[in-house]
Amino acid sequence: MNQPDPRRWRLLGLLAVAQFMLILDVTVVAIALPNIETDLHLQRETLTWVVSAYTLMFGGLMLLGGRAADLLGSRRVVLTGLLVFTLASLVTGLANGPEVLLGGRVAQGIGAAMLSPAALSVVTKTFSGAELNKALGIWSAMGGGGSAIGVLLGGLLTAGPGWQWVFYINLPIGLVVFALLIRMLPADTPSEQPGRLDVPGALLVTAGTGTAIYALINAGDRGWLSLATLGTLAGALVLYGVFAWVQRAVRSPLMDLRIFTRRPVTAGIFMILIATALMIAMFFLGSFYLQHFKQYDALRTGLLFLPVAVAAIVGAQLAGHLVGRTGARPIAVTGFLITAAGVAVPAIWEGAAVIVIGMTVGTVGLGAAFVASSTTTFAQIDYREAGLASGLLSTFHEVGASLGVAVVSSIAAASLAGTVSTGFTRGFTFAAVTAAVAAVLALVVVPAFKPSTGEVHAH
């Protein structure tokens, strides 16, 4: 085997900073949204798309990005993705109306979908054995930390130089990382195997999810069982059906759908979808409650989110230590039950302290659920499929974020637009019930096996 690259840890550091920016951009806007709404005179539906446009493109095109890295070479895709994301951040910050703002968010999502899987692919090629496990641990911590710190940073930037800086901050970081990566990224040979990019597949799955999100965002106004809502959801199902057909018909499909017949993979994907949806839904409701209803400024709101940010990391750390001894099922069930208990607090009582305590407890449970999700998914995965499995997890992470915001913004529509708190109560009640149902489902779907302690990763 070749000598490991002496600069590999520095390279990991740069790629982790890039990944941190991408994950940060999911939640950093949570605190900025009320200010963006006021400045650009946005409707509630448009405001929801500020989160969903990014997460939808990021999630919907992620597998295509991973496939592009295999076919065209990781170096090229990492650098292109980083450049697209960085320039799109500038455009989004300069937006003076909803069209440019959402266009910028879409372009940011496209850049993120190229950069994230290609960067992970560089990490898996650069490290091996025990070092790879350590590197992947650092990579995952960046993801978890990015979500939590995003909310705090969003408050600091919005209260300081203004909400535009939530996007502008990516410019200097992106350009510095780009300049350093050009020198450090190893040249790689694209894969020898002939294959094409399954662009129709990527477009179909993104269109299907986008249609479903559109239906859910508007359900609050049109009615959950109205013809328009049900018709749009049926359209999404048709698009998914066509996607499944295309995957069977094309020579190099975006994903091998047979992977979904494996129980650990399906269980892991289910958990990450629900956990992310609940986390982003809580951040969204909490941010609007504190800023709109309580009239707190962005800085105070951001600081109140600090214990929530710490809670996510604490939950993940605890679960990480316990999962080897107990297996994923008890961690998943306990995690979702803790979340249900936490979110039930603001569903029953009102007040800023109550909301912060409830979200903090709830987020401890979600941190644990994220760990259960990844350990379950990878439990019986052959190393040749690790890329597809991690791509699927990341995809459903972003799709979960899109769905979470879409559903709670519809349920809480009355409070987001007006001055009553009933919508917030409804939103938190829905989240608590969802978490409790997820706990019961986790008991049924998560396989009861103990991960072996002497697990060896083949590479």
Side-chain angles (χ1 to χ4, degrees):
M1 203 182 117
N2 300 338
Q3 273 301 99
D5 186 335
R7 298 179 303 174
R8 63 193 182 283
W9 292 107
R10 259 179 298 166
L11 178 62
L12 174 69
L14 286 173
L15 292 171
V17 168
Q19 172 73 356
F20 186 71
M21 278 200 308
L22 306 185
I23 300 296
L24 199 73
D25 255 62
V26 177
T27 53
V28 76
V29 294
I31 303 284
L33 283 173
N35 289 57
I36 297 174
E37 178 188 33
T38 311
D39 272 12
L40 302 183
H41 311 294
L42 302 182
Q43 301 290 320
R44 177 187 66 82
E45 292 86 347
T46 314
L47 204 61
T48 309
W49 278 112
V50 176
V51 178
S52 292
Y54 177 66
T55 50
L56 172 64
M57 299 316 278
F58 191 173
L61 300 175
M62 179 112 52
L63 290 171
L64 188 67
R67 192 94 182 88
D70 289 342
L71 295 175
L72 308 171
S74 307
R75 176 190 162 91
R76 197 181 300 174
V77 179
V78 165
L79 293 173
T80 310
L82 180 57
L83 207 55
V84 169
F85 176 82
T86 306
L87 295 176
S89 299
L90 174 64
V91 171
T92 314
L94 291 170
N96 55 4
E99 297 81 12
V100 178
L101 183 74
L102 295 183
R105 288 294 275 168
V106 164
Q108 274 189 309
I110 292 170
M114 294 166 77
L115 172 53
S116 186
L120 185 58
S121 150
V122 172
V123 173
T124 56
K125 285 177 197 159
T126 309
F127 294 90
S128 59
E131 277 197 349
L132 177 67
N133 291 342
K134 191 175 169 190
L136 290 175
I138 293 170
W139 183 264
S140 309
M142 280 294 172
S147 298
I149 291 163
V151 187
L152 181 64
L153 191 65
L156 293 171
L157 291 170
T158 306
W163 64 262
Q164 292 86 347
W165 281 89
V166 164
F167 304 111
Y168 288 156
I169 194 169
N170 294 330
L171 200 61
I173 299 171
L175 292 174
V176 169
V177 171
F178 183 83
L180 293 170
L181 281 178
I182 274 190
R183 292 179 24 220
M184 286 185 67
L185 268 178
D188 54 353
T189 45
S191 89
E192 298 301 313
Q193 64 200 63
R196 337 199 137 94
L197 284 175
D198 177 19
V199 177
L203 294 177
L204 280 164
V205 76
T206 310
T209 311
T211 307
I213 289 165
Y214 176 78
L216 296 170
I217 289 174
N218 292 306
D221 301 325
R222 291 175 173 171
W224 288 88
L225 296 174
S226 69
L227 198 60
T229 302
L230 295 176
T232 316
L233 285 173
L237 287 175
V238 169
L239 286 165
Y240 283 136
V242 177
F243 168 71
W245 176 79
V246 166
Q247 293 310 286
R248 282 213 291 277
V250 296
R251 211 175 50 215
S252 40
L254 194 60
M255 64 168 91
D256 181 350
L257 294 177
R258 283 173 306 191
I259 198 166
F260 288 109
T261 59
R262 295 189 209 170
R263 189 171 156 201
V265 175
T266 320
I269 283 169
F270 153 75
M271 286 191 280
I272 203 156
L273 183 81
I274 300 294
T276 315
L278 287 169
M279 183 179 262
I280 304 296
M282 277 199 307
F283 287 1
F284 187 82
L285 288 171
S287 169
F288 271 90
Y289 181 86
L290 294 171
Q291 291 187 81
H292 254 199
F293 190 68
K294 285 291 186 188
Q295 298 288 305
Y296 291 177
D297 64 8
L299 180 61
R300 190 173 174 188
T301 304
L303 291 172
L304 282 172
F305 265 92
L306 187 57
V308 184
V310 173
I313 297 161
V314 169
Q317 286 295 322
L318 279 172
H321 287 300
L322 290 171
V323 76
R325 271 175 274 164
T326 63
R329 186 195 279 178
I331 301 278
V333 174
T334 311
F336 282 123
L337 285 175
I338 291 171
T339 302
V343 190
V345 172
I348 300 166
W349 295 284
E350 258 192 56
V354 169
I355 283 217
V356 173
I357 291 166
M359 287 199 302
T360 304
V361 173
T363 311
V364 171
L366 293 179
F370 283 126
V371 172
S373 151
S374 51
T375 48
T376 303
T377 307
F378 288 109
Q380 296 169 353
I381 284 285
D382 182 71
Y383 76 95
R384 284 184 294 269
E385 297 168 309
L388 175 60
S390 64
L392 284 173
L393 265 189
S394 305
T395 296
F396 281 91
H397 182 278
E398 302 310 322
V399 171
S402 305
L403 291 173
V405 171
V407 173
V408 294
S409 87
S410 260
I411 293 172
S415 294
L416 298 178
T419 49
V420 289
S421 62
T422 48
F424 294 117
T425 308
R426 272 191 216 127
F428 282 117
T429 305
F430 176 78
V433 171
T434 304
V437 171
V440 175
L441 286 173
L443 196 57
V444 179
V445 300
V446 180
F449 54 77
K450 287 196 178 181
S452 63
T453 40
E455 194 177 342
V456 179
H457 285 268
H459 281 279

